[in-house]
Amino acid sequence: MTQTSEAAAVAQKPEPSRPRIHRAWFVAAVTFVTIIGAAAFRSLPGLLIDPLHQEYGWSRGTIGAAVSVNLALYGLTAPFAAALMDRFGIRRVVAVALTVIAIGSGVTVWMTAPWQLLLFWGLLVGLGTGSMALAFAATVTNRWFTERRGLVTGILTAASASGQLIFLPVLSWIVVHHNWRPAAVTVALAALAVVPFVWLLLRDHPADVGLKPYGAKEFVPKPPPVPGAARRAVTVLFSAVRTGPFWLLAGTFAICGASTNGLIQTHFVPAAHDHHMPITTAASLLAVIGVFDVVGTVASGWFTDRYDARRLLAVYYALRGISLVFLPFLLAPSVHPPMIFFIVFYGLDWVATVPPTMALCREHYGEDSAIVFGWVLASHQVGAAAVAFLGGVARDVFGSYDVVWYASGALCAAAALMALVIRRGTGTPTQTATAAG
């Protein structure tokens, strides 16, 4: 029998009796746990700025530079990782990425110079976490679901916040009581612990187990491996940049990264510590943001299935900007009700922008949407990297973070306006670019 006839036989293979719970939900659960494991490192940088500054005498700008390299690579790796998943499969790419994260975090315990911080934290962990970025969630969602995509996107996006919720209090306690090195080792072990789950339970495509995607009316054969992963990622980018929606999505998401990962996740703990708040208390507040982030992101996915994604983005960015402008007046040695209100409010809005942004990528770029979203995520992380570095520099120059909070609030207002002018559209990047031309 030829390969063509074998493929046709597989495509025509009758679907087994439908299980009570579709396998797609188990795949989503494994993906959720995997992203939690990868999120352990995302909880660490903000906790280590002061300890590294005190032990080595490195400036906050130097430490922020390493964090910025990590954040930039986290985004720039994502579109290539999405293409690699099309070529080699989700399971292989994710297992390798988790191993790289473990190595990069583990070897930091022996570093003695800033260039080693850039290499271990910046390069290795940046490449590993980039391969575990939201493009991973987008790929799983696109392959396994045709219904409930907004909801699943929200759930998988919330996994990163759940990881923050789990690891922040633990890691902050370890840093305070046992120094920063055991915390770095804990992150490495967390990443390694997830590898067996990925290898044994994750599957690349519903056709691997003879199922239709959740909500699909017809069986979808597994597509053949796509060669030239890097070339495809770049080709999709060149097509996407010829369209207006790409630049608006990339611009708004850059501001999203600047005002979350780059700002709050990296600098909130040291900023609160500047106001004499204990590190463990500040870290616990970030963990509470993680709690409400789960609620807000899942709710945003539900809203995205029902309402205009552009208007949702505008509301999210406007509310985020308002909250950041008030933050400098709320920082104090102890936690008080207005600060609790900010934490809850900001947590609900933290990455609520992801489901509508993914939905707009699907609306405009069709089958290439996961890779396009990877490039949009790259802009998110470039924005985060810029503020991670510039925030540290601002603290060194001005002695406080106030100017950074105000500037980020103004950027969020600009993002709200940008979201409103994104037009509606469907199709692939090439089709959209042709229409635009």
Side-chain angles (χ1 to χ4, degrees):
M1 182 180 290
T2 65
Q3 289 184 342
T4 303
S5 59
E6 289 177 355
V10 172
Q12 295 172 1
K13 180 181 178 181
E15 184 181 0
S17 57
R18 184 175 181 178
R20 299 183 68 179
I21 301 178
H22 195 284
R23 178 68 176 266
W25 294 107
F26 292 102
V27 172
V30 173
T31 304
F32 187 91
V33 173
T34 304
I35 295 175
I36 286 177
F41 184 82
R42 307 245 62 82
S43 306
L44 196 57
L47 300 177
L48 299 193
I49 290 178
D50 284 341
L52 291 177
H53 173 70
Q54 293 169 5
E55 179 171 337
Y56 295 109
W58 299 338
S59 71
R60 291 176 175 84
T62 298
I63 301 168
V67 178
S68 70
V69 170
N70 172 276
L71 291 172
L73 283 176
Y74 177 88
L76 293 172
T77 304
F80 296 98
L84 285 172
M85 289 176 188
D86 288 340
R87 175 66 179 89
F88 298 105
I90 299 173
R91 184 169 57 169
R92 292 178 181 176
V93 173
V94 172
V96 171
L98 287 167
T99 304
V100 171
I101 293 171
I103 294 172
S105 183
V107 295
T108 56
V109 300
W110 292 292
M111 68 181 178
T112 57
W115 69 266
Q116 295 169 333
L117 182 68
L118 287 167
L119 175 63
F120 302 150
W121 266 24
L123 181 62
L124 290 181
V125 178
L127 290 173
T129 54
S131 300
M132 293 290 303
L134 291 173
F136 170 41
T139 301
V140 170
T141 303
N142 289 348
R143 290 187 183 184
W144 281 89
F145 293 86
T146 58
E147 292 182 358
R148 308 292 186 185
R149 280 180 170 175
L151 176 62
V152 175
T153 298
I155 292 172
L156 296 183
T157 302
S160 181
S162 299
Q164 177 176 288
L165 165 64
I166 294 169
F167 287 105
L168 261 174
V170 174
L171 293 177
S172 64
W173 184 88
I174 292 173
V175 168
V176 170
H177 292 89
H178 300 286
N179 208 341
W180 63 270
R181 288 178 177 82
V185 173
T186 301
V187 169
L189 294 177
L192 283 178
V194 183
V195 174
F197 290 95
V198 170
W199 196 255
L200 296 176
L201 300 176
L202 193 62
R203 291 296 179 268
D204 292 329
H205 196 277
D208 289 340
V209 288
L211 292 174
K212 297 181 295 187
Y214 179 83
K217 296 180 180 179
E218 297 180 356
F219 184 83
V220 179
K222 183 177 180 179
V226 180
R231 182 174 63 252
R232 184 185 175 211
V234 174
T235 300
V236 169
L237 173 64
F238 285 162
S239 296
V241 296
R242 296 165 58 195
T243 68
F246 174 82
W247 291 105
L248 291 169
L249 288 169
T252 55
F253 224 40
I255 294 171
C256 178
S259 56
T260 53
N261 300 75
L263 181 64
I264 296 295
Q265 192 165 44
T266 304
H267 294 295
F268 178 80
V269 171
H273 193 53
D274 283 348
H275 289 76
H276 309 293
M277 181 181 291
I279 290 177
T280 51
T281 302
S284 297
L285 290 177
L286 273 185
V288 174
I289 286 179
V291 175
F292 288 95
D293 184 11
V294 174
V295 177
T297 309
V298 174
S300 178
W302 188 87
F303 289 141
T304 302
D305 286 333
R306 291 161 175 81
Y307 301 105
D308 187 340
R310 300 168 301 170
R311 294 183 179 180
L312 289 175
L313 284 179
V315 171
Y316 296 156
Y317 285 121
L319 293 176
R320 182 183 300 177
I322 292 171
S323 66
L324 286 173
V325 169
F326 283 98
L327 180 58
F329 304 101
L330 304 179
L331 292 170
S334 60
V335 180
H336 46 85
M339 174 58 80
I340 294 175
F341 178 80
F342 169 84
I343 292 298
V344 173
F345 187 86
Y346 201 84
L348 291 171
D349 191 48
W350 179 272
V351 286
T353 56
V354 173
T357 301
M358 279 190 181
L360 288 168
C361 284
R362 281 194 294 266
E363 181 179 325
H364 284 276
Y365 304 107
E367 294 180 355
D368 291 333
S369 61
I371 296 177
V372 173
F373 179 75
W375 286 113
V376 172
L377 178 63
S379 71
H380 180 282
Q381 294 308 117
V382 169
V387 172
F389 172 66
L390 294 175
V393 172
R395 172 61 178 80
D396 291 334
V397 173
F398 299 107
S400 77
Y401 286 99
D402 288 359
V403 66
V404 185
W405 307 130
Y406 297 140
S408 297
L411 286 174
C412 288
L417 295 176
M418 292 166 65
L420 289 175
V421 298
I422 299 174
R423 62 176 175 80
R424 287 190 174 277
T426 58
T428 64
T430 301
Q431 292 169 336
T432 310
T434 302

